Amino acid sequence: MSVFFKEASPNNPVKKGDVENVLKRIGVAINDQDSDDFNQLLAAVHDCAEHISELPDYQPIPDVKKYPRENVHRPTADQQDFGNAWAHKFLIRGDSNGSLLRGKSVCVKDCIAVAGVPQFYGSDAFPAWTPSTDATIVTRMLDAGANIVGTATCENFCNSTSSFTSAQGTIDNPYRKGYSAGGSTSGGAALVGSGLVDCAIGGDQGGSIRVPASLCGCVGFKPTHGLVPWTGITSGDAIDDHAGPLTRSVYDASLFLDAIAGNDGIDDRSFASGSHGSHGYAESLVKWNGQLPSLAGVKIGILREGFDPEVFDPKVKEVVLSAASKFQQLGATVEEVSIPSHLEGPAVWTIQQRISGSMTILGQAHGRRGLYLTEFEHTRLPWTTENFQKLFPSTQNTIINGLYLMDKFPGLYGKTVNLGRKISDDYERTLSKFDVLVMPTTPYVAPQHGSRGTPRQCFEPSIGLTSNTAVFNVTGHPAMSLPVGFAPAKEDSKVLLPVGMQIVGGLWQEKKILKVAHAWETAFDWKATATANGCPDKVVSGGLKENGWSKLNESKLNGQGKIEISELTVQS
């Protein structure tokens, strides 16, 4: 502590009255007789801060000789896909000796650091900043043999589940132009859903992997909090941050999870995640070799509250219940379960994210050991009216809400953390009796793009989209969106768009989710949708794949091919 009592330097800018001005911000004052002492102490800490500011930062140094960045460029209009899915295109060739991901193409969300590649973070409120380091997961994928081919556009400050909020432009759904790709991993979901890349690595703070995966017809996996290190990724709230893969198959998701999971010795979120390369997700999946997958002994819970909110489209419920019923054909037990606290998830998440999100945006995030992206902080701070007004309304709203809540509701953030633990305990109790829980990922299929009009108009297209996803960021449970069929768009019943089924497991139980999802995907073709009399408003989940096995044994089904789940009853 002696450093704080050193005499201030001659050029120290702290002057009489500065202490009083600092304290005015929180509405308190000091005794007049103490003013000079506190000013001297403030001057001393200013000198200490100046000293730290002049020291070189300590960032991991990427091996750009082994992994050179080739042809980094902002794509022109004719080089773009799905409107504006690419933030930057380039090529970083993976290790030719890497076998796990050899030949796989990857794009990373434009909030994941790639040294030498400018990052927009979905905004134009400040100049693009260029990281000097690679995120841990970037290095791990290159070591595993993957080729990284670009950064994919993300939504404004990763603060929306729509795909029209990015300052870099709108991203179209790969299944229908003019419809949302979801967010905030919007560009990556469109590129994977269309087949242009094998994998996109996204970030998920409230559904930003699973929502776009659901809307774009791909697999999106948010693992247990901390399984994948967040090192080198721009944060929302450290306790909600999750990184994971979007792929076209469950098996590919398992490969990429093997490549990126595990403690990196930097991010304290990852310290309990086990050593890198030790998880064996891909090898845990059975290769059925043309045989009907078996889920004998597996118990699947249909979460009643996951179908409750009024915002849910009945046709989406129908598709997901139909898909869930098919687990019985594979030998699993399927039962309805109830966890009432699930419905508190959106409110708990909203308060938590508004407070912590505003502090992060304002450069006040603290309290975690890890890699802080100080270059980014220097680029975007301090905030001014000019750059604040360039933010999309959802990001502006986060700041406004957060400042208000911190002023009017002291201690509320801490209470959301406590309540989140309560909800987590409720899930864990149920998941001690069931292997996984199932519900719709999103309450409706991709909506049409919204309008950049009033703040309220900007929010309308995505209202309720995270009803089933955000709560699992609060609790940290692993959750996957699996495509299981199609349902008609709200705006046009002739437009059919993908439906995702969310599969949730216990903490650190990724293998159970992968097993269940892999079996469903192996047995059923989600794109082979059935219709009743050709009417798209009767769409149900995909049909049985023709993999060489004979007609299903009807004795595996209840009665006449029905699954009875209280009032949640559909034809299988």
Side-chain angles (χ1 to χ4, degrees):
M1 293 294 291
S2 61
V3 65
F4 298 114
F5 291 95
K6 290 175 65 176
E7 185 176 345
S9 62
N11 298 321
N12 192 290
V14 175
K15 59 186 181 299
K16 188 172 179 61
D18 281 354
V19 167
E20 286 80 0
N21 289 332
V22 167
L23 292 175
K24 280 181 182 177
R25 299 177 191 173
I26 60 171
V28 301
I30 55 172
N31 294 325
D32 290 343
Q33 64 268 29
D34 296 332
S35 179
D36 287 345
D37 283 354
F38 280 119
N39 267 284
Q40 290 179 32
L41 293 167
L42 185 60
V45 84
H46 178 94
D47 284 346
C48 184
E50 290 279 10
H51 171 70
I52 295 297
S53 297
E54 291 167 2
L55 294 177
D57 203 354
Y58 187 53
Q59 301 271 348
I61 300 173
D63 191 344
V64 294
K65 289 186 177 179
K66 181 178 181 180
Y67 299 125
R69 282 95 232 266
E70 302 177 27
N71 193 26
V72 178
H73 66 285
R74 176 81 173 125
T76 58
D78 63 327
Q79 296 172 328
Q80 277 287 6
D81 294 293
F82 305 105
N84 299 276
W86 297 98
H88 281 87
K89 285 189 171 183
F90 53 84
L91 175 62
I92 309 177
R93 302 175 193 271
D95 190 334
S96 59
N97 294 317
S99 58
L100 185 66
L101 300 179
R102 183 180 299 153
K104 297 286 188 182
S105 60
V106 187
C107 63
V108 298
K109 188 177 183 179
D110 193 31
C111 64
I112 298 173
V114 182
V117 178
Q119 187 177 111
F120 294 114
Y121 199 37
S123 178
D124 62 356
F126 45 82
W129 73 287
T130 302
S132 61
T133 192
D134 285 342
T136 294
I137 56 179
V138 167
T139 303
R140 286 180 173 178
M141 289 188 294
L142 293 171
D143 289 345
N147 298 319
I148 302 180
V149 297
T151 49
T153 300
C154 67
E155 295 311 296
N156 198 289
F157 268 69
C158 296
N159 223 246
S160 176
T161 48
S162 295
S163 66
F164 69 98
T165 79
S166 174
Q168 284 66 62
T170 296
I171 296 94
D172 284 318
N173 191 292
Y175 284 83
R176 190 74 172 195
K177 186 176 181 179
Y179 284 79
S180 177
S184 59
T185 313
S186 45
L191 294 168
V192 171
S194 65
L196 288 179
V197 297
D198 294 314
C199 175
I201 300 296
D204 191 314
Q205 286 90 29
S208 289
I209 289 172
R210 292 158 291 155
V211 169
S214 178
L215 271 50
C216 292
C218 48
V219 176
F221 200 0
K222 179 199 81 64
T224 299
H225 182 257
L227 179 66
V228 175
W230 195 256
T231 305
I233 309 176
T234 305
S235 182
D237 177 356
I239 68 172
D240 286 348
D241 290 336
H242 299 72
L246 294 90
T247 58
R248 286 189 303 283
S249 73
V250 174
Y251 183 71
D252 271 1
S254 72
L255 288 174
F256 277 92
L257 198 57
D258 274 326
I260 62 179
N263 177 22
D264 71 345
I266 299 175
D267 177 24
D268 68 358
R269 284 162 282 200
S270 73
F271 289 175
S273 64
S275 60
H276 176 231
S278 67
H279 298 87
Y281 296 120
E283 68 182 19
S284 74
L285 297 180
V286 175
K287 293 180 173 64
W288 299 106
N289 298 321
Q291 300 300 309
L292 182 66
S294 173
L295 291 178
V298 172
K299 294 191 69 176
I300 295 171
I302 306 296
L303 183 62
R304 165 173 284 281
E305 288 78 12
F307 294 79
D308 270 1
E310 293 181 2
V311 71
F312 275 63
D313 183 342
K315 298 179 183 66
V316 168
K317 293 183 184 181
E318 180 184 351
V319 172
V320 173
L321 284 169
S322 176
S325 76
K326 295 178 188 299
F327 285 122
Q328 287 186 316
Q329 299 179 25
L330 306 180
T333 300
V334 182
E335 297 177 11
E336 180 189 338
V337 298
S338 176
I339 305 175
S341 60
H342 176 82
L343 296 175
E344 297 292 351
V348 170
W349 177 87
T350 295
I351 299 301
Q352 190 178 97
Q353 268 292 321
R354 294 294 191 274
I355 295 174
S356 59
S358 65
M359 294 184 72
T360 300
I361 294 168
L362 295 172
Q364 297 173 7
H366 62 281
R368 303 303 294 251
R369 294 185 184 275
L371 175 63
Y372 285 78
L373 298 173
T374 52
E375 297 152 314
F376 180 40
E377 298 298 294
H378 285 300
T379 298
R380 66 174 173 167
L381 298 174
W383 284 101
T384 65
T385 297
E386 181 182 6
N387 58 20
F388 178 79
Q389 290 181 350
K390 287 184 178 180
L391 295 173
F392 197 76
S394 58
T395 308
Q396 293 175 329
N397 186 62
T398 294
I399 296 174
I400 294 167
N401 288 181
L403 292 173
Y404 176 85
L405 290 168
M406 285 185 281
D407 182 45
K408 301 296 183 183
F409 294 90
L412 193 63
Y413 179 83
K415 188 169 184 178
T416 66
V417 175
N418 293 342
L419 292 174
R421 192 178 72 255
K422 192 267 183 194
I423 300 172
S424 178
D425 290 346
D426 291 345
Y427 289 137
E428 285 293 283
R429 275 190 290 272
T430 300
L431 286 162
S432 68
K433 302 172 185 176
F434 290 82
D435 293 283
V436 296
L437 302 175
V438 166
M439 68 209 76
T441 307
T442 60
Y444 45 87
V445 296
Q448 288 182 342
H449 294 308
S451 127
R452 287 174 171 264
T454 66
R456 289 185 66 179
Q457 288 174 328
C458 293
F459 281 96
E460 284 173 0
S462 59
I463 290 174
L465 264 178
T466 60
S467 296
N468 274 346
T469 57
V471 64
F472 298 111
N473 294 87
V474 172
T475 66
H477 283 79
M480 173 188 287
S481 182
L482 179 73
V484 292
F486 290 86
K490 177 182 177 181
E491 300 85 356
D492 184 350
S493 64
K494 295 180 181 179
V495 174
L496 299 180
L497 294 165
V499 173
M501 175 171 65
Q502 186 171 221
I503 306 173
V504 179
L507 294 168
W508 310 105
Q509 298 300 312
E510 277 75 9
K511 286 182 181 178
K512 289 185 178 182
I513 296 174
L514 288 164
K515 175 182 179 179
V516 167
H518 180 57
W520 196 100
E521 180 185 74
T522 300
F524 306 108
D525 181 358
W526 74 273
K527 291 186 177 181
T529 55
T531 62
N533 301 319
C535 178
D537 66 356
K538 295 294 185 182
V539 172
V540 295
S541 66
L544 183 68
K545 284 185 176 177
E546 294 295 333
N547 282 350
W549 55 76
S550 60
K551 186 179 178 183
L552 281 172
N553 182 352
E554 292 296 327
S555 66
K556 290 184 179 180
L557 297 177
N558 243 353
Q560 310 252 326
K562 281 188 178 181
I563 176 171
E564 300 290 346
I565 310 173
S566 185
E567 293 121 21
L568 306 177
T569 305
V570 295
Q571 290 292 132
S572 59

